[in-house]
Amino acid sequence: MDDSSEFKGYEASILADRLSLFSLGLLILYIAAAVAGLLPPAFLNTAWQLKAIRTILDSAFLPLLALGLLHLAAYLDPQNLVLQNRRKLAARLAILAVLGFLLFIPLQVTAAWRTVAAANANASRQLARANETFNILRDIIVQAPTLEDLQQRLDNQQNRGVRLNLEEKGVSLEQTKQELLEQLVVVRDAVIARVSKPDRQETEALARETVRVVISSLALALAFSAGAQRKGSTVPLLVEWHTMLSLRSPRAALAEAADASELAYLSRLAPNDEDGSAASAPPPP
C-alpha cells in the first residue's frame, strides 16, 4: 500500500515537471508573438496603440493557460520548493497582468476616440481647402474680362487639382462663364460629398473592435485575478475582491447594524457597577 502511494507520488511529480515545462513554453511563445507584433515601437502613435492592444489580447490565452498549468503543477507536487516558488512568482506577476488588462479599457476607448476625431479633423481640413479653391475659381470666372484672360487664369490654377476646359463651352463670354459656374458647382458638390463624411465602414469596424477589447479585457482580468495572489495573502486576488465587495454591499451594512443593535441591547442587560444590581431592560423590538 505504501509502495503504491509512493509510486503515485512519483508519477505526480513527473507530471508536475512536465506541466511546468509546458507552462514555460507557452510563456516564451507568447512573448515572442507579442514582441514581433509590437516592433517597431511607437508609444505616442494612436494606430500603434490600437495595434499593440489587439496583438496582446489576441494571444493572451497563452499566458493564461500557462498560469493555470503552473498552478496545477504546484498542486500535484507540493513538496517541490522550486515549483512552489515559481508559482508564487507567477501569482505576483499575474497582478500586473490584471492591472494591465484593466488599463487597456480606457486606453482603447481613448485611442479609438482620437482616431475618429483625427478623421473628422482631416475631413474638415479637406472641406475648407476645397471651399477655398472653389471660391477662388468662382471669382476668377466672374471677374475675367475676356475669354483669353479667363483661360490664362484657369491655367494658372491647375495646381489646385481642378481643371475647367473652355474648348466645348459657349462662344460668348457670358455664356462661357455661366457654363463654367454650373460645372464648378457640380464638381464642388461631388468633392464635398466625398470629403465631408469619414469612411463609415472603418468607423463601425473600430467601434466593434473597441467593444471586443472592453469585453475581452474584463474577462481576462477576471481570469488572471483567479490565479493572482498578493504577497502575504492566503487567497487569490479574485477572492479578496469578492470579499471586499461583499462587505461593502447594503446587505452587509444591514447585518452590521443589526449586530451593533444586539450588542447595545446586551450591554443594557449587564449589571450596574454603582448599585451592584442587574438592570432590567425591555425585550428588543
Side-chain angles (χ1 to χ4, degrees):
M1 194 70 178
D2 295 337
D3 295 339
S4 176
S5 299
E6 292 180 0
F7 182 73
K8 290 182 179 180
Y10 179 71
E11 285 186 336
S13 179
I14 293 177
L15 180 59
D17 290 337
R18 291 177 178 177
L19 293 177
S20 178
L21 290 177
F22 290 158
S23 174
L24 182 60
L26 290 174
L27 182 60
I28 294 175
L29 183 62
Y30 171 73
I31 294 176
V35 171
L38 298 180
L39 293 178
F43 300 104
L44 300 180
N45 186 276
T46 303
W48 183 88
Q49 293 175 359
L50 294 174
K51 176 184 175 183
I53 295 174
R54 183 173 61 253
T55 300
I56 293 175
L57 288 181
D58 288 345
S59 54
F61 69 93
L62 292 175
L64 180 61
L65 181 58
L67 180 62
L69 291 177
L70 188 57
H71 275 283
L72 179 59
Y75 173 78
L76 292 174
D77 192 5
Q79 304 300 326
N80 191 333
L81 296 181
V82 176
L83 193 56
Q84 296 299 326
N85 292 332
R86 190 180 302 171
R87 182 197 65 81
K88 292 179 181 179
L89 177 61
R92 307 292 186 273
L93 295 177
I95 298 177
L96 299 179
V98 172
L99 297 178
F101 287 120
L102 292 178
L103 184 62
F104 280 171
I105 297 176
L107 183 61
Q108 171 72 24
V109 173
T110 302
W113 179 81
R114 288 180 178 176
T115 301
V116 175
N120 292 331
N122 184 45
S124 299
R125 287 193 299 268
Q126 292 181 0
L127 183 62
R129 190 181 306 166
N131 286 328
E132 179 184 1
T133 300
F134 293 127
N135 290 334
I136 293 175
L137 292 176
R138 182 191 58 191
D139 294 340
I140 289 176
I141 294 173
V142 173
Q143 297 174 5
T146 62
L147 289 175
E148 292 77 8
D149 183 74
L150 177 59
Q151 181 66 68
Q152 183 178 0
R153 293 187 181 186
L154 292 177
D155 292 340
N156 294 335
Q157 300 295 325
Q158 289 183 7
N159 58 346
R160 294 185 176 271
V162 179
R163 178 177 177 82
L164 300 176
N165 195 350
L166 298 180
E167 294 179 357
E168 300 179 358
K169 303 305 174 186
V171 293
S172 66
L173 177 62
E174 296 300 327
Q175 183 180 359
T176 300
K177 288 183 177 181
Q178 183 65 30
E179 294 180 2
L180 285 177
L181 289 175
E182 293 176 357
Q183 181 185 3
L184 186 62
V185 170
V186 174
V187 175
R188 183 196 62 185
D189 293 341
V191 172
I192 291 177
R194 186 177 69 252
V195 304
S196 61
K197 297 180 180 179
D199 194 343
R200 183 176 180 180
Q201 293 182 352
E202 293 184 0
T203 303
E204 292 179 352
L206 183 59
R208 290 193 299 268
E209 177 67 13
T210 301
V211 173
R212 185 187 76 89
V213 167
V214 171
I215 296 176
S216 300
S217 298
L218 288 174
L220 287 169
L222 184 65
F224 272 96
S225 65
Q229 188 172 336
R230 294 188 303 108
K231 185 177 181 180
S233 177
T234 58
V235 295
L237 187 62
L238 180 61
V239 177
E240 289 191 34
W241 285 355
H242 181 267
T243 304
M244 181 177 60
L245 292 176
S246 299
L247 293 177
R248 293 185 178 181
S249 63
R251 182 178 299 177
L254 291 176
E256 184 178 355
D259 293 340
S261 177
E262 183 178 356
L263 289 176
Y265 173 72
L266 293 176
S267 65
R268 291 199 300 268
L269 295 179
N272 194 341
D273 293 339
E274 295 180 356
D275 53 10
S277 60
S280 61

